[in-house]
Amino acid sequence: MKLPLTFYENHDTITLAQRLLGCELVHESPEGTTAGIIVETEAYLTGDPACHAYRRKTARNAAMFGPAGTLYVYLIYGFYHCLNVVTGPEDVGEAVLIRALEPTEGINLMGERRNLDPATKAGLRGLTSGPGKLVIAMGISRDHNFWSLTESGIYIRPSVRNDIDIVTTTRIGITQGSDLPYRFYVKGNRFVSKP
């Protein structure tokens, strides 16, 4: 069951970043289905200097200004893509970065995409323990930018875990806004990315 549009529309960005923890990201692709429980997120708000929408709407960040529940996929370091869930009202420019997943389905396909052996402990953890890693493992690319999480083969299922302990801390890999407590992760989960 996909999360309904109201899930994305009825929560502010910080709350949504926390509520996505424990939910399951799914991609039904021609190669097969892959899925993983969201275990780490970061929130990016309009007035936040680290947010891509901080200055203005551009061709690169246009998806971020779309309706809540839209995918915003962008390229970083000229090589890796990152997956974000657009939040807030249309034309505002806020999103939640999905930083890490705990693989649940299509693990062998993820391993092929990442060139890792998921049969090993290090290989399994390495599949989705970072934003660039999880996008490769899930078969997500810039082609999925602007896709709807409620009307496409990429969607999020409701939380499968209700007993999670959430850690709130500062975000990783940014220089501006690095002091803001907008990173959230599942305490003790081994798939959380390392700073």
Side-chain angles (χ1 to χ4, degrees), residues 89-152:
E90 198 163 354
D91 293 322
V92 169
E94 295 189 350
V96 173
L97 170 66
I98 307 299
R99 279 202 60 89
L101 302 174
E102 180 178 331
T104 56
E105 188 175 346
I107 294 172
N108 288 333
L109 178 55
M110 289 183 187
E112 290 172 21
R113 289 173 174 160
R114 292 270 299 120
N115 198 27
L116 291 172
D117 181 359
T120 67
K121 188 175 179 180
L124 182 61
R125 186 192 178 283
L127 292 177
T128 56
S129 60
K133 294 175 182 181
L134 76 85
V135 169
I136 295 168
M138 294 290 289
I140 296 171
S141 71
R142 182 87 169 130
D143 293 339
H144 299 107
N145 196 36
F146 286 101
W147 280 32
S148 167
L149 282 165
T150 60
E151 299 173 5
S152 72

Side-chain angles (χ1 to χ4, degrees), residues 180-192:
L180 298 171
Y182 292 168
R183 177 175 167 237
F184 308 95
Y185 65 87
V186 176
K187 185 176 182 178
N189 188 286
R190 69 186 177 115
F191 294 93
V192 170

